[in-house]
Amino acid sequence: MISLSTAALEQIRLSATTGDLQSVPIRVAVKQLDDGSLHYAMGFDEHKLPGDTFFNFDGVDLVVSSGSKDLTDGMTIDYVELEPGKLEFIFLNPNDPAYVPPST
């Protein structure tokens, strides 16, 4: 199961409203590269593909293809300020070989 932080959920809602895409799900894709690292992509996508899994987070629909499903299990998507004034989505994924759990 994927989870979204409150900040990620709010940013997705804002992007959907700005782009007039409120009824379009956001697709999350993860691909394992030849070196074992994971590549992430995310964007609004109105196409439904066989094997897609849909999640709803407080009115925001998220879709994951069957090819990405196992690689996203347990992943959290967050929206954080990595540098002053620079906010980005990040993927906290225990399936990623480069994953380092956040310190509490």
Side-chain angles (χ1 to χ4, degrees):
M1 172 100 177
I2 293 177
S3 61
L4 292 176
S5 71
T6 301
L9 188 59
E10 289 173 3
Q11 183 59 35
I12 291 168
R13 277 195 189 115
L14 178 63
S15 296
T17 300
T18 302
D20 197 23
L21 298 165
Q22 295 91 329
S23 63
V24 178
I26 190 148
R27 181 176 293 276
V28 174
V30 181
K31 179 180 179 183
Q32 190 160 28
L33 302 178
D34 291 338
D35 66 0
S37 65
L38 299 182
H39 175 75
Y40 300 90
M42 187 168 76
F44 292 100
D45 185 4
E46 48 193 23
H47 299 10
K48 293 182 181 176
L49 303 172
D52 279 350
T53 300
F54 288 84
F55 302 92
N56 185 281
F57 298 96
D58 199 19
V60 170
D61 290 321
L62 185 140
V63 63
V64 176
S65 72
S66 59
S68 293
K69 189 171 186 233
D70 288 343
L71 293 172
T72 62
D73 190 38
M75 180 173 75
T76 298
I77 300 171
D78 200 355
Y79 189 70
V80 298
E81 187 172 29
L82 295 176
E83 298 174 22
K86 186 177 180 186
L87 293 155
E88 292 184 27
F89 285 102
I90 61 169
F91 302 89
L92 303 167
N93 189 348
N95 302 300
D96 192 326
Y99 174 70
V100 177
S103 32
T104 54

